[in-house]
Amino acid sequence: MMAVKMQSCVLLVLLLNVYYTFVSSLYFHIGETEKKCFIEEIPDETMIIGNYRTQLYDKQKEEYLPATQGLGMFVEVKDPDEKVILSRQYGSEGRFTFTSHTPGEHQICLHSNSSKFALFAGGMLRVHLDIQVGEHTNNYAEIAAKDKLTELQLRVRQLVEQVDQIQKEQNYQRYREERFRQTSESTNQRVLWWSIVQTLILVAIGFWQMRHLKSFFEAKKLV
């Protein structure tokens, strides 16, 4: 009985960790030509959805108001190999989606097309960004209605997809551990070779100094 409770607690902790890891919401401010980039560590074969909306600062009212329709945001996403997997311009409020094919740090950059609009010249823009990763991108209400699932079936499906996301995250952590191990081994090997080279250099210098001193003493007829 105690073991079952412990397993349930461990599973709950893992699920909570996945939930808070793969859902992030924030807002930030950008200027007219400013570019903001964010780093997301994402496992492979994982869907990412980003929802954003913009607010333009009104100097007269001294508050942020919904941006005009003409104002757009340019979104660019790069994978860990610096390959562009998404590059597109959206409106003042929108949603972008992409799927990771390489595990690691993905760079998500946003900037406005404000230089085209005098309305925004010299002003500040507030961007609300909500990033969802993995199974959090699913709309379970739509899935239940489409597949005609009962509440129990829907819960089971959610649990299966959460476990699948946990497995992807574990695989990614193993991938990171393997890369770190390779880096450590490579560094240790380089340090070893550098130590060997230093030792050989010191031995060669010592041998040269001994021969030089011997030649000096012989020239002075001290030996």
Side-chain angles (χ1 to χ4, degrees):
M1 185 68 180
M2 194 68 179
V4 174
K5 287 184 178 180
M6 286 295 294
Q7 289 178 354
S8 300
C9 290
V10 171
L11 180 60
L12 179 60
V13 170
L14 286 173
L15 292 178
L16 287 174
N17 181 61
V18 169
Y19 179 83
Y20 289 111
T21 300
F22 294 100
V23 176
S24 59
S25 182
L26 54 93
Y27 76 85
F28 56 92
H29 300 93
I30 57 175
E32 181 179 350
T33 58
E34 194 175 357
K35 185 178 184 180
K36 289 283 186 179
C37 293
F38 304 90
I39 301 296
E40 284 284 338
E41 291 192 0
I42 306 171
D44 60 339
E45 302 304 326
T46 302
M47 178 178 286
I48 297 88
I49 293 179
N51 295 284
Y52 73 90
R53 59 184 177 88
T54 57
Q55 292 178 305
L56 185 63
Y57 185 71
D58 191 315
K59 295 182 180 179
Q60 296 180 348
K61 296 183 178 181
E62 296 184 347
E63 62 178 346
Y64 286 92
L65 301 176
T68 59
Q69 292 297 324
L71 189 62
M73 293 296 297
F74 188 82
V75 181
E76 183 179 75
V77 180
K78 294 182 179 180
D79 67 5
D81 299 324
E82 295 294 321
K83 180 182 177 182
V84 177
I85 57 178
L86 176 66
S87 181
R88 182 178 173 186
Q89 183 170 307
Y90 297 85
S92 58
E93 181 175 350
R95 170 177 176 172
F96 58 90
T97 306
F98 66 94
T99 301
S100 63
H101 299 291
T102 304
E105 295 182 345
H106 287 67
Q107 187 180 73
I108 304 173
C109 297
L110 299 93
H111 63 89
S112 70
N113 62 345
S114 59
S115 59
K116 298 180 181 179
F117 299 93
L119 177 65
F120 183 44
M124 289 295 295
L125 191 67
R126 174 181 288 176
V127 182
H128 297 262
L129 179 62
D130 177 41
I131 297 177
Q132 298 174 328
V133 181
E135 60 95 17
H136 296 286
T137 61
N138 295 330
N139 188 328
Y140 286 105
E142 292 182 359
I143 292 174
K146 180 181 179 181
D147 297 341
K148 297 180 180 179
L149 301 177
T150 64
E151 184 176 354
L152 179 59
Q153 290 173 326
L154 183 62
R155 294 299 181 189
V156 170
R157 180 163 179 170
Q158 285 179 304
L159 183 60
V160 169
E161 291 182 352
Q162 286 174 350
V163 171
D164 181 62
Q165 189 63 52
I166 290 175
Q167 185 178 8
K168 288 182 179 179
E169 178 64 19
Q170 289 177 335
N171 291 336
Y172 174 58
Q173 294 301 328
R174 282 194 289 268
Y175 168 76
R176 290 185 61 189
E177 182 182 356
E178 177 67 19
R179 288 189 61 185
F180 179 75
R181 185 182 65 81
Q182 292 176 354
T183 302
S184 299
E185 290 179 353
S186 176
T187 302
N188 291 335
Q189 190 175 17
R190 291 179 182 180
V191 170
L192 175 62
W193 280 110
W194 176 242
S195 300
I196 293 173
V197 170
Q198 281 185 317
T199 302
L200 292 175
I201 291 174
L202 290 174
V203 170
I205 292 175
F207 180 74
W208 177 81
Q209 287 180 334
M210 290 178 62
R211 291 199 60 181
H212 179 73
L213 287 173
K214 183 179 179 182
S215 301
F216 175 78
F217 290 141
E218 287 177 348
K220 295 295 182 179
K221 296 182 179 180
L222 296 176
V223 177

